[in-house]
Every structure is written in C-alpha cells, then in structure tokens.
Amino acid sequence: MPHAADSEDPKLTATHVAVREARSLANEATLSQLTSMVSHDPAADISEVLKRESTAYPRLVDELAEAFNSSPVDESHNDDHQPSVATGLLDLLVDGSVKVTHSLDQSVLNLVHPASECDEVLNHIPKEMAAAFNQLIRGGKILFQLHDTFVIELGPSHVVKVAQSLDPDHIDNIQYVATHVPKLPIPHCLGVLRSDQRTCLFMSRATGTTLESVWPDLSTTQKTSVQEQLNSLFRLLRTPTAEDSGSGVRLGSFTSGLCKDLRRNQRISSAPLRTEAEFNDFLLQHPNKTVTPCVEMLRSSMKDDHRIVMTHGDLHPRNNMVILEVSQAIPVQVEVMHTEHKVVRVSSIIDWEAAGWYPESWEFVKAVSMIDPRGPLSDWIDFLPTDAIGYFPMEFSIDRLLDQWLG
C-alpha cells in the first residue's frame, strides 16, 4: 500500500508551502510592528493595531500566498520561472527589489521595524519589511485620492503619498524649500521607496484640515486673518533670490530646471529656460496648433521683465492646511463649537509639484485661474495674499485668453 505522501497532489503541496511562506512573512511583519510599539512604550495601547490586523492579516496572507505559489507543474515547467507577484494598487513588491531612492527617516522605519534593527543604511528593503510596509499602508486612512494617487495617514505624525510615476519634482522641491526657507511650514520628506513604477513618498503629516473644506463657513474676519498669515508666509518664500539658486537666473523647478504649465493637461518644457521671454514662448507652444495673428497679438502684450521669484505655483485653498482653535477671548459660556467662533491658523502649505523659479506674476495668475468663479470658493480672489505675491489682473486676463486658445 503506497505511503500517503506518495499520492499527495504536488499542486496542493506547493500551495501548502506558499501559505507557510506567506504566514511566515506576515507574522514577522506583524510582530515587527507590535515590537516597535512596545519597545518605545511598554504600556502602549495596541488594541487599534490588533483590530486592524484582524482584517488586514488574512488579506496579506492570501496575497503573499498567491505571490509565492508557483505555476502548476507540467511538461513545459521552467526551473528558472519566477512566481508572479500580486501587486495591489498600493502594494510594494515583496521580492526584495524595492529601492530606497531617498533615505528613510528613522521615524518611518520605527513604524514597521524596531529601531535597534535598522541602524544600517538601506539601499533596498528586505521582503519582510516590504510586507510590513504593505500592511501599514493598507491599514491607513485615505486622506486624498485622485486617479492612481493616494495620500494615506500612517498615524498622527506621518503620511505616505503613493502614486504611479510620481513627479520627482515634488520630492526635490520640498527638500529645496525646506533647506532654503526653513521657517516655512511645509511637510518634510522622510524617505522614498520605489517599487517597479510605484513610488511611496513618506512625509511628515501637516496638521489640521484643508482650507478648502472650511472656507465656505468662515467669516470675513477669519478669511482676512488667513490672508494676513499667507502674506507673511509668502514673504518668507520670496526672500531668497534667483541668484541664491547657485545657477543664476533660471526658471522652472528648483532642481530639474524644467518649467510646468498646469491647465487641463500639464505641459513641461523640454529644456531649462533662462528668460521670461523664453517662458512666454513656451506658454504659446502647442503640438497641434498653429499660432494665429490673434495669438501673436497676445504674445506681444506679454511682459518679459517681471522679477523671477520663488513660487508655489498652485496657491489653492486645498493646498493650505489650517487648524481651527478656540479663541481665548471668547467667554466660556459662549458656544464655540461652530466654525465662525474659532480662530483659524494656517499650519502648513502642501503640494509643491508645480513650484520653482517663475515670473512674479505667475503665483497670482495660477491662484486665480484654478478657482470656479461660481463655486463655493468664488471669493478666494478677494482674500489672496496680494501684499506678498502682487496683483496682476492684466497678466491674468491675457492668460485666460491664452487658455481658451490652448483648449
């Protein structure tokens, strides 16, 4: 009588091995997170982690098992065949190929790995750490989503931006601004992982909520306060000069030197531009359109002698984080739960993909052009920080006509 193992289905055996491998990785990732929490605070409340893992753990095991499970054995089986890796919309690969393109801050490593085991400089992260990051990201709260780009909360102090083909200027720009304007409140880059075409940008979390979400409920006094705060912050941004960049006058993103024009579709210059005249010529370039006499007239009306200044490039209420605080001047007996009774404090300016050296009028033009004049933010133009960024209605009007031509 044959031994039971002799008649065992090899496919079932492979599946069993894959499940054991998957559980081994999932267990190590889960244990790493719990060990990290307890090592920092032996009395830490781990109930939320356990609650999250009750649903995240089975999914992780299933996906890892699928990743490790080999193809069915047949006559054409190739010993060199690599198992396919299950990659969800947010997942890093778990095959050891995840690159560390910007060093991970210790605080990020502490989220998934005990500090005592992460002293070495990592160029790639091991597969068990990739699995731990996948668990961490899946269990986070999605704060923002646009197409295949997500911003996910990883706790009170960290977020991660996960995207396919993340614009590298976002990373370089926030690092440049943090270095050259250290007093400006912005998120800080805490490391970057790249997995195939997916990029994970870890950042410090900007506290509060977006100005866009509360703007319709703010009083005129509160909106004026926001305007005054933004004036102060944008004066800071404009303190460095173009010569401070180390390369003289050069337009475009702080590191790459490429100019961007965000409209219905983003356009990027093919090479660095050195003058505003070149920048204006770039604005009139369209691969499918021929410059008409009317457009030539617009070009002749565009100034070529604005100062070149540090620019955010997307000054929209969604890119300003604010905190609503109870005013100490309000008597205790007054109900202060409503927005209009609170002080609004600008806590951070976020999203620096479009930032760089640009003509001084560009900030105003873009800040106005991205607002629906009939929507809930229609009065945003009345509270722009024009003392700092200037007031350029002529340049805006020309840009609107140009926008209609570009389509």
Side-chain angles (χ1 to χ4, degrees):
M1 183 175 182
H3 193 276
D6 295 334
S7 60
E8 194 172 90
D9 186 341
K11 183 176 180 179
L12 292 178
T13 302
T15 300
H16 178 70
V17 171
V19 170
R20 287 186 58 83
E21 289 283 345
R23 284 180 179 159
S24 177
L25 268 182
N27 290 345
E28 186 169 351
T30 302
L31 183 61
S32 178
Q33 290 189 64
L34 294 174
T35 302
S36 178
M37 289 184 66
V38 176
S39 65
H40 285 81
D41 180 7
D45 183 359
I46 62 174
S47 59
E48 284 300 316
V49 175
L50 296 176
K51 180 180 178 181
R52 183 184 68 203
E53 291 305 310
S54 66
T55 55
Y57 180 86
R59 292 201 307 267
L60 179 64
V61 171
D62 289 344
E63 291 171 8
L64 289 174
E66 182 181 346
F68 291 129
N69 198 9
S70 300
S71 300
V73 178
D74 57 32
E75 294 300 322
S76 62
H77 180 72
N78 185 345
D79 290 336
D80 294 329
H81 171 74
Q82 297 295 319
S84 62
V85 178
T87 53
L89 199 57
L90 302 175
D91 288 350
L92 300 168
L93 300 179
V94 290
D95 60 358
S97 66
V98 179
K99 296 180 180 179
V100 182
T101 61
H102 294 72
S103 297
L104 294 172
D105 187 82
Q106 188 65 56
S107 65
V108 173
L109 292 171
N110 289 345
L111 295 173
V112 297
H113 216 283
S116 60
E117 298 182 24
C118 298
D119 295 332
E120 74 275 13
V121 177
L122 299 173
N123 294 316
H124 290 76
I125 63 172
K127 58 185 181 180
E128 64 272 11
M129 189 179 289
F133 271 120
N134 285 342
Q135 275 188 294
L136 178 69
I137 293 171
R138 287 198 203 104
K141 177 183 177 182
I142 296 177
L143 301 176
F144 172 82
Q145 178 183 356
L146 180 63
H147 306 309
D148 61 356
T149 298
F150 297 80
V151 176
I152 300 169
E153 172 189 77
L154 300 181
S157 303
H158 300 80
V159 297
V160 62
K161 187 171 188 176
V162 184
Q164 296 280 359
S165 304
L166 181 70
D167 187 345
D169 280 339
H170 186 189
I171 303 166
D172 294 337
N173 283 344
I174 59 176
Q175 290 185 311
Y176 186 94
V177 173
T179 299
H180 290 80
V181 195
K183 293 183 179 180
L184 197 68
I186 66 171
H188 290 272
C189 174
L190 300 177
V192 181
L193 299 178
R194 186 162 180 81
S195 176
D196 194 21
Q197 294 301 310
R198 184 176 292 103
T199 302
C200 293
L201 165 59
F202 295 92
M203 296 181 288
S204 57
R205 182 178 180 180
T207 56
T209 187
T210 64
L211 180 59
E212 178 181 30
S213 66
V214 300
W215 185 262
D217 298 323
L218 298 183
S219 67
T220 299
T221 299
Q222 290 170 318
K223 291 177 179 180
T224 300
S225 172
V226 169
Q227 180 184 40
E228 293 171 350
Q229 293 175 65
L230 290 176
N231 270 317
S232 297
L233 294 177
F234 275 82
R235 287 191 191 99
L236 282 177
L237 182 63
R238 293 198 171 189
T239 298
T241 66
E243 286 72 17
D244 293 333
S245 67
S247 59
V249 178
R250 186 203 67 190
L251 281 73
S253 295
F254 297 122
T255 300
S256 72
L258 299 180
C259 290
K260 296 178 182 176
D261 183 22
L262 303 179
R263 298 181 191 269
R264 295 171 184 83
N265 296 303
Q266 176 175 268
R267 296 184 299 150
I268 303 177
S269 64
S270 58
L273 307 177
R274 294 285 175 178
T275 67
E276 185 176 5
E278 292 180 354
F279 178 68
N280 288 336
D281 290 340
F282 157 69
L283 294 180
L284 268 66
Q285 293 174 3
H286 192 291
N288 301 319
K289 291 183 179 290
T290 301
V291 175
T292 65
C294 287
V295 174
E296 290 178 347
M297 180 182 66
L298 284 180
R299 176 63 184 90
S300 67
S301 302
M302 299 168 73
K303 292 181 63 177
D304 294 337
D305 59 353
H306 290 102
R307 291 185 306 125
I308 306 302
V309 298
M310 289 185 76
T311 303
H312 179 273
D314 191 6
L315 179 53
H316 187 284
R318 65 171 171 266
N319 292 331
N320 293 279
M321 302 295 292
V322 297
I323 297 174
L324 303 179
E325 301 174 325
V326 177
S327 172
Q328 298 301 315
I330 298 177
V332 176
Q333 66 269 23
V334 176
E335 175 60 54
V336 293
M337 295 302 292
H338 297 293
T339 301
E340 65 267 22
H341 295 304
K342 296 184 179 181
V343 174
V344 184
R345 179 168 62 85
V346 178
S347 59
S348 186
I349 301 173
I350 63 175
D351 284 349
W352 291 83
E353 293 96 324
W357 296 101
Y358 288 95
E360 61 181 331
S361 58
W362 194 239
E363 196 83 82
F364 178 87
V365 168
K366 285 302 178 183
V368 179
S369 64
M370 297 185 183
I371 298 296
D372 181 354
R374 294 176 295 276
L377 305 175
S378 59
D379 63 341
W380 172 240
I381 186 174
D382 297 327
F383 297 94
L384 286 173
T386 50
D387 286 352
I389 70 173
Y391 184 66
F392 299 94
M394 182 61 69
E395 286 83 347
F396 168 70
S397 299
I398 293 174
D399 190 78
R400 289 300 86 203
L401 293 173
L402 177 61
D403 190 65
Q404 292 178 19
W405 175 74
L406 288 170

